[in-house]
Amino acid sequence: MPLSSVPYLALLFSLPARNATERMRAWRALKNMGGAILRDGVYLLPSGSGRELPLIEVALGIQETQGLAEVVGIVTRSEEQNLAFRALFDRQADYQALRDEIARIDPEILDVALLKRAARHVRRRFHEIIAIDFFPGDAQTELQKVVTTLEAQVARRFDSGEPVATLKELPRRDPAEYQERLWVTRANLWVDRLASAWLIRRFIDRKARFHWLRAGEPPPDEGVGFDFDGAPFTHIADRITFETLMAAFALENNPALQALGRMIHALDVGGISPEAAGFEALLKGIRLRCVDDDALLEAVIAVLDDFYRSFSHEKDTSDE
């Protein structure tokens, strides 16, 4: 489709002046979606996957409170108009504000917990911005580097074993070449490594064997490394190892795995997942009763199987 014909969605609405509460609710919902004000009572969004339904839900909410609302499609009549519409969604100011916030963070601060919270907040805020950056450009790429640098500083200072996210090209691999392999990661398993081992066993290499590296131990030559610096499968850009493996083995379109990925991501580097706190509590309890990493993995595999079934069932029932 040529640049001059990029389609947009518009919400046209009118509310009684006395209904300030519903007006504020609609405004917040549209703001969270990344909607832009075209004029009073007209909000604009680029059309795209998953954007029409939330806009319709806002319209229905307005109609239920005696307001008038319609969602319509808009096609720009000229390249000049299209560029003007695009300018309404320029996120450079948001990226700059986050860059300024990062500049105020002191990586040498003595309060470890405060520094880690700051890094998680930065990553969460970055995800919020890119979720509504419909026309990404250099500003997003440059800030990704700044965010990754901050996380690397935190990891090197306080989490010497944690992998530092890289910006290398995401690997695409043939599962047939990764059967009955020895998979290697750091000992003392926790969220991302446990979930990654589950993903390997269930979706990549059903006869996988695992070796847990102790501090200072070099990985065996025949091993396939994951979730440590230098491993072929680790944190890449904003993906944790679980998500890197999903993408590398063409699993990223599985809705249940996507939901699991959001949960693991939230616990590992920050984010939003309603199930994350419950899963973390389960892991803590399981770890207390397991004598080693092998026992821990076997116990957690059963739990993640159940989470996967639950997420798969949610997808099935949502289509009924």
Side-chain angles (χ1 to χ4, degrees), residues 90-96 99 126 129-130 133 135-147:
D90 186 350
R91 306 300 178 197
Q92 291 194 62
D94 294 322
Y95 286 126
Q96 186 58 52
R99 184 187 288 268
F126 180 64
I129 298 172
I130 65 176
D133 187 6
F135 306 105
D138 292 342
Q140 183 182 126
T141 302
E142 291 304 313
L143 187 58
Q144 170 69 71
K145 295 176 183 178
V146 175
V147 172

Side-chain angles (χ1 to χ4, degrees), residues 23-35:
R23 186 179 297 275
M24 181 60 67
R25 184 181 294 113
W27 176 81
R28 285 175 178 163
L30 291 161
K31 184 174 184 293
N32 290 336
M33 288 181 221

Side-chain angles (χ1 to χ4, degrees), residues 130-208:
I130 65 176
I132 58 172
D133 187 6
F134 307 119
F135 306 105
D138 292 342
Q140 183 182 126
T141 302
E142 291 304 313
L143 187 58
Q144 170 69 71
K145 295 176 183 178
V146 175
V147 172
T148 300
T149 297
L150 173 66
E151 291 174 335
Q153 290 173 316
V154 174
R156 288 194 180 103
R157 183 175 169 198
F158 302 114
D159 299 310
S160 58
E162 286 297 310
V164 175
T166 71
L167 296 176
K168 67 181 181 181
E169 185 178 352
L170 181 67
R172 297 284 180 174
R173 304 296 169 87
D174 180 0
E177 298 178 1
Y178 289 83
Q179 299 305 302
E180 300 185 39
R181 300 288 296 272
L182 176 67
W183 295 79
V184 181
T185 192
R186 294 172 291 123
N188 300 316
L189 301 178
W190 197 233
V191 177
D192 196 11
R193 279 163 286 154
L194 283 164
S196 295
W198 172 85
L199 186 70
I200 291 165
R201 178 70 61 78
R202 288 293 186 249
F203 290 90
I204 300 170
D205 179 3
R206 291 189 176 275
K207 295 184 179 180

Side-chain angles (χ1 to χ4, degrees), residues 7 44 58 72 85 91 125 131 140 161 210 231 234 239 257 270 282 304-305:
L44 198 66
V58 174
V72 299
F85 279 11
R91 306 300 178 197
R125 179 62 186 136
Q140 183 182 126
F210 293 100
T234 186
R239 287 183 171 94
L257 288 181
L282 276 172
L304 287 171
D305 283 346

Side-chain angles (χ1 to χ4, degrees), residues 120-132:
R120 285 196 297 269
H121 164 76
V122 164
R123 172 59 68 177
R124 182 167 56 252
R125 179 62 186 136
F126 180 64
H127 277 292
E128 290 171 351
I129 298 172
I130 65 176
I132 58 172

